């Protein structure tokens, strides 16, 4: 076996399909988001504007967050020192879990090192605990949810995206005596659409199924206190397990679930992804704690984000650009080809100082490649006009035709 040849062929396949991923070398400018410095392809840092960050509200730059992290760093040091069971359970972790449980109106919460881990660990553990459990999964669920379902070893039934009629068909054909778990997201981050939460909860009640919702692209941004779409739509009490991230709207790092104390205790006690990993740094936990508390009380950031997203959608549409019909803060521009998406992204960065990554398979289905813009409260109208003009100029000059 020529190992090097196999590895080279695997990478060559990605290049030939136009979906080899390039990570751009940047540094953000503290207190001046979305301004940053890019170190790729030129001598010294070049000023750029970031248009694709998941730090949706700029909370990673917020003075309260930075101050809390600095204070924790000088108080307790950098790392946690171990797993939650062995030296890594700090007062910051406990306070943050209490704050997150309160955010979602649940009895308890549990921290993980990332949103990916929280999905993988929780879903795989739940299905193993429930004998004969069948998992019903939306076809557009995130890779971390798919991994958790696969790792559980439980049988799964995939329902068409946001299609409650198809979901009911699958539920109805399943043995009523078997435990059931419906796993779905609130905001689907690549299309920017929202799940019919109450309709899914109605089916869960009818067929005696547990509900698991991924709110990673909604927490902090929807609801009066940032509790997500479940809070906004007054559905949180109908959901058994709410999963979220601390690395997007809250601006730092980590993941979590919120549920009743019994479920939290089961996951805490059985999930390898929780038990056997060093806990989140208390410095990070302190920063998230400040962010969650701030966004519970402040709607300024949420309002600014929604206004910026609505404005950019209108500017793209008025310019004749194929903006997808997103109902959320996500502004996807359909390209429909991985090579063209990468070329537009490269020109935007090199010539206009605009940073937006192309989104290709397997993140989205083949033929639906796109540029995904995430305007936030600090993306000004002037920035949006410059971005729109740049896109129009590039498409015209390069004779790039986008998907209809």
């Amino acid at each position: 076996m020529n190992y090097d040849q196999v590895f080279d062929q695997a990478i060559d396949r990605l290049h030939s399909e136009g979906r080899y991923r390039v990570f751009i070398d940047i540094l953000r400018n503290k207190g001046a988001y979305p301004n940053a410095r890019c170190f790729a392809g030129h001598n010294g840092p070049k000023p750029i504007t970031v248009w694709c960050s998941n730090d949706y509200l700029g909370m990673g730059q917020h003075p309260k967050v930075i101050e809390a992290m600095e204070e924790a760093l000088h108080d307790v040091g950098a790392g946690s020192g171990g797993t939650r069971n062995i030296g890594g359970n700090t007062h910051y972790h406990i306070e943050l879990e209490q704050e997150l449980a309160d955010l979602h109106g649940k009895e308890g919460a549990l921290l993980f090192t990332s949103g990916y881990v929280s999905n993988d660990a929780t879903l795989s553990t739940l299905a193993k605990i429930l004998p004969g459990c069948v998992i019903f999964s939306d076809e557009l669920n995130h890779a971390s949810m798919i991994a958790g379902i696969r790792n559980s070893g439980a049988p799964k039934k995939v329902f068409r995206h946001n299609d409650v009629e198809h979901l009911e068909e699958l539920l109805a054909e399943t043995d009523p005596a078997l435990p059931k778990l419906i796993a779905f997201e609130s905001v689907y981050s690549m299309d920017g659409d929202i799940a019919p939460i109450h309709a899914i909860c109605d089916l869960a009640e009818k067929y005696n199924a547990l509900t698991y919702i991924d709110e990673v692209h909604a927490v902090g941004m929807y609801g009066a206190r940032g509790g997500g779409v479940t809070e906004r739509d007054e559905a949180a009490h109908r959901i058994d397990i709410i999963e979220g991230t601390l690395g997007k709207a809250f601006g730092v790092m980590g993941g979590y679930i919120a549920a009743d104390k019994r479920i939290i205790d089961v996951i805490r006690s059985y999930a390898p992804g929780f038990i056997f990993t060093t806990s989140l740094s208390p410095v990070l936990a302190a920063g998230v704690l400040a962010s969650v508390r701030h966004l519970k009380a402040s709607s300024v950031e949420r309002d600014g984000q929604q206004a910026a997203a609505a404005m950019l959608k209108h500017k793209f549409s008025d310019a004749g650009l194929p903006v997808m019909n997103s109902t959320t803060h996500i502004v996807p521009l359909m390209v429909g080809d991985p090579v063209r998406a990468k070329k537009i992204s490269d020109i935007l960065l090199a010539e206009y100082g605009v940073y937006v990554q192309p989104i290709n398979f397997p993140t989205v289905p083949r033929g639906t490649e796109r540029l995904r813009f995430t305007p936030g409260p600090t993306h000004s109208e002037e920035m949006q006009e410059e971005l729109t003009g740049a896109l129009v100029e590039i498409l015209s000059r390069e004779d790039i035709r986008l998907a209809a």
Side-chain angles (χ1 to χ4, degrees), residues 77-80 90 92-93 278-286:
S80 70
T90 76
Y92 288 112
H93 295 88
T278 299
S279 65
L280 205 64
S281 162
V283 176
L284 299 175

Side-chain angles (χ1 to χ4, degrees), residues 59-118:
M59 290 303 295
Q61 306 286 305
H62 199 282
K64 287 183 182 178
V65 174
I66 294 170
E67 181 182 356
M69 294 179 73
E70 289 178 339
E71 182 179 329
L73 177 65
H74 293 291
D75 182 30
V76 302
S80 70
T83 65
R84 291 289 291 276
N85 185 51
I86 306 176
N89 187 54
T90 76
H91 190 60
Y92 288 112
H93 295 88
I94 293 169
E95 277 195 299
L96 179 53
E97 286 174 341
Q98 291 172 345
E99 203 73 44
L100 291 167
D102 172 77
L103 177 66
H104 295 291
K106 300 297 183 184
E107 291 179 342
L110 192 66
L111 288 173
F112 295 84
T113 49
S114 74
Y116 189 106
V117 174
S118 57

Side-chain angles (χ1 to χ4, degrees), residues 125-355:
T125 301
L126 271 178
K128 289 175 181 176
I129 292 294
L130 297 168
C133 180
V134 179
I135 301 180
F136 300 81
S137 175
D138 188 288
E139 67 177 345
L140 293 189
N141 276 343
H142 189 265
S144 57
M145 300 177 75
I146 296 170
I149 294 167
R150 182 185 301 117
N151 291 337
S152 75
K156 70 173 181 179
K157 298 190 177 186
V158 179
F159 60 95
R160 291 186 293 270
H161 178 51
N162 283 347
D163 188 335
V164 291
E165 291 183 1
H166 187 217
L167 173 59
E168 180 159 26
E169 289 176 13
L170 297 176
L171 287 164
E173 71 184 23
T174 303
D175 183 348
L178 292 176
K180 304 170 187 65
L181 175 66
I182 304 173
F184 63 109
E185 301 183 36
S186 60
V187 173
Y188 288 85
S189 65
M190 292 302 138
D191 290 351
D193 57 342
I194 291 178
I197 298 174
H198 280 292
I200 291 175
C201 289
D202 289 342
L203 291 178
E205 292 172 4
K206 181 177 178 180
Y207 292 93
N208 192 28
L210 294 174
T211 48
Y212 181 103
I213 192 168
D214 176 315
E215 284 252 54
V216 298
H217 291 279
V219 290
M221 294 172 282
Y222 295 88
R225 301 194 308 156
V229 178
T230 50
E231 182 194 17
R232 186 198 70 178
D233 293 355
E234 299 182 348
H237 66 286
R238 305 187 70 189
I239 298 289
D240 294 295
I241 303 163
I242 296 174
E243 185 268 345
T245 183
L246 308 172
K248 293 182 171 60
F250 292 128
V252 190
M253 182 181 177
Y256 67 92
I257 59 169
D260 69 34
K261 288 182 179 179
R262 185 179 291 104
I263 291 175
I264 294 297
D265 200 19
V266 165
I267 303 304
R268 183 189 71 87
S269 302
Y270 282 90
F274 173 81
I275 297 170
F276 297 108
T277 188
T278 299
S279 65
L280 205 64
S281 162
V283 176
L284 299 175
V288 176
L289 189 60
S291 182
V292 172
R293 286 172 173 168
H294 175 80
L295 289 174
K296 278 184 176 180
S298 172
S299 292
V300 172
E301 294 81 7
R302 286 188 282 275
D303 294 342
Q305 181 199 39
Q306 290 296 322
M311 181 185 296
L312 188 61
K313 290 173 190 176
H314 282 119
K315 289 189 182 297
F316 280 1
S317 180
D318 290 345
L321 297 170
V323 59
M324 296 173 64
N325 187 28
S326 162
T327 59
T328 64
H329 59 281
I330 307 294
V331 184
L333 192 69
M334 180 58 68
V335 178
D337 178 85
V339 175
R340 285 179 289 186
K342 179 69 165 62
K343 184 172 186 179
I344 297 169
S345 172
D346 289 345
I347 296 173
L348 281 170
L349 183 63
E351 298 185 19
Y352 290 93
V354 167
Y355 174 38

